[in-house]
Amino acid sequence: AMPAAAPLRALLPLFLLSAAAAASVDDGNVEDDAAASSTGCLGAACEARLQGVLAKLDSVAKEIRGRRATLTALEELRASILSGRRIELPSARRQHLEKGSSLIGRVSYDVRHRPISTNASRYFQGARAVGKESEVSLHTLLLLKPPSSFGQVGTMAAVVTVSPSPAPRPDGPSLLLSVFDAESGAPLLEGFDPGHNPGRVIRHLVVSTAQDPPLVLTGDDSGRMRVHSLKVEARPVDKAEEGTNVTRSSSQMFAMANLTCAFKLPRSPIGEVRELNTVLIVEKGTQTHFVAGDTRGGISVY
C-alpha cells in the first residue's frame, strides 16, 4: 500500500491549496452573490464578476504551478543527493538556491554548462598512477627542462603535489611538497618541506610556465606565500643487477627546490586579517609578478 499512498501524499498539498483558493474566492463573493440573487444579475455586472473570478482563478493556477515546480525541484535534489549524481538547474534558480545553502553547488550544475558528452570511457583513459602512497590535497602539472646528459630534447611533464606529512610533529610541517615524473611516475622530489609555519594548512599551489627554472608558489591559511625554484639534475646511482653480484652505475633524475622569495598579505587599514582567496603568477618577458586576491576584496601585487 505504501507505493500507492506516496503519490497521494505528494498531491495532498496541491489539493489543500486548491480548496483554500476556492474557499477564498467563495468568501470574497458571498455578499455579491446575495446581492445578485435579490436584485438579479445584469449583463455588464455579470461580465465584470465573471472576469474577476477568472482573474482570481488564473492567479491561483499560477501559484499552484509555482508550488508544483518547487516540489519537483526539491524532489530532484533529494534524489540526486541520495544517488550521488548531479542535476541541471536553470541559472536563476540555481543562484537563488545557492544563497540558502552552499550544498546546491555540489549536487547541481548550471544548465548552460550541460556536458556535451558523458561517455567518460570514450574520451578519458587511465595511463598511470602517480604518488600511490600519498593522500594528495593539492596537485598541478608542470613542465621541467631535463638535464642535458639525458639527451632528451624539449621539456618533460611533472606532477607537483601537496600531501600531509606521514609522521607529523607539533613543531614540524603538516604538509609536504613532492614532484613526480608524469611519464614514469618516479619521484623526482619527495617529502620536501616548503617552510610554512607549523600547523598551517597550504590551500594554494601555483606554478609558472615560462621561467627557467620554473617557480612553485604555495600559500597557506594565514596569507603567507613562499616561492621555490625547481631544477632537475642527474645523479649517478649504483644498481645491482638481479640474480648477480654485478653493480652498474647509471644516471637518475632528481629535482632540487630552492627558496626564491616569501611574502604575506598585509593587514587592512583597520586591522582586519585578510585571508588569501586566490593567487596567480603573471609572467611578462623576464619579469615575474605574483597577484594575490584576499577575502576583503583587495588585490596585492608582488
Side-chain angles (χ1 to χ4, degrees):
M2 292 301 294
L8 295 178
R9 288 198 301 269
L11 294 176
L12 182 58
L14 300 180
F15 295 153
L16 295 177
L17 183 61
S18 300
S24 64
V25 173
D26 292 339
D27 292 341
N29 296 321
V30 169
E31 296 179 357
D32 295 341
D33 292 340
S37 62
S38 60
T39 61
C41 180
L42 300 178
C46 289
E47 182 66 22
R49 286 187 55 209
L50 178 61
Q51 294 300 327
V53 172
L54 292 177
K56 290 184 178 181
L57 289 177
D58 289 341
S59 176
V60 172
K62 290 180 180 179
E63 185 176 356
I64 291 176
R65 285 194 295 268
R67 297 289 180 89
R68 184 180 300 169
T70 301
L71 292 175
T72 302
L74 292 176
E75 176 60 24
E76 291 178 352
L77 287 173
R78 185 192 68 84
S80 67
I81 294 174
L82 295 178
S83 63
R85 61 180 179 86
R86 301 177 69 184
I87 64 170
E88 61 180 42
L89 290 175
S91 302
R93 185 184 302 175
R94 187 169 186 265
Q95 293 175 3
H96 175 72
L97 293 176
E98 279 184 326
K99 295 179 181 179
S101 174
S102 59
L103 181 64
I104 300 299
R106 301 181 183 181
V107 299
S108 66
Y109 60 87
D110 197 316
V111 67
R112 296 177 300 176
H113 306 152
R114 181 190 295 112
I116 299 177
S117 174
T118 57
N119 187 0
S121 61
R122 178 180 177 183
Y123 299 100
F124 292 93
Q125 296 181 358
R128 64 191 58 85
V130 175
K132 296 181 181 179
E133 305 300 328
S134 303
E135 184 180 346
V136 177
S137 57
L138 295 173
H139 72 281
T140 186
L141 292 176
L142 175 66
L143 294 179
L144 293 173
K145 186 177 180 180
S148 57
S149 59
F150 273 76
Q152 184 174 340
V153 180
T155 58
M156 57 178 291
V159 181
V160 184
T161 65
V162 172
S163 305
S165 174
R169 304 189 310 271
D171 58 342
S174 57
L175 294 170
L176 302 176
L177 188 72
S178 300
V179 182
F180 299 90
D181 184 358
E183 184 65 27
S184 63
L188 303 177
L189 177 67
E190 198 167 14
F192 174 75
D193 179 12
H196 293 270
N197 293 335
R200 290 300 180 182
V201 179
I202 298 177
R203 293 181 176 174
H204 302 273
L205 174 64
V206 187
V207 298
S208 65
T209 57
Q211 290 292 330
D212 185 22
L215 302 176
V216 177
L217 182 148
T218 53
D220 61 29
D221 54 352
S222 69
R224 185 177 300 277
M225 291 162 278
R226 294 175 64 85
V227 182
H228 291 81
S229 61
L230 286 180
K231 184 178 180 180
V232 179
E233 294 184 350
R235 298 179 184 175
V237 177
D238 295 331
K239 292 184 179 181
E241 294 184 356
E242 296 183 2
T244 65
N245 294 328
V246 179
T247 302
R248 295 185 180 275
S249 180
S250 60
S251 296
Q252 186 172 348
M253 285 189 294
F254 293 89
M256 296 180 59
N258 296 310
L259 179 65
T260 301
C261 59
F263 35 85
K264 186 178 181 179
L265 287 177
R267 287 183 174 269
S268 66
I270 60 176
E272 293 178 326
V273 178
R274 300 174 181 267
E275 296 182 6
L276 186 62
N277 196 26
T278 185
V279 60
L280 297 173
I281 299 180
V282 180
E283 299 166 302
K284 185 177 181 180
T286 58
Q287 294 183 341
T288 302
H289 296 89
F290 306 95
V291 183
D294 58 52
T295 53
R296 298 294 178 181
I299 297 178
S300 305
V301 182
Y302 305 89

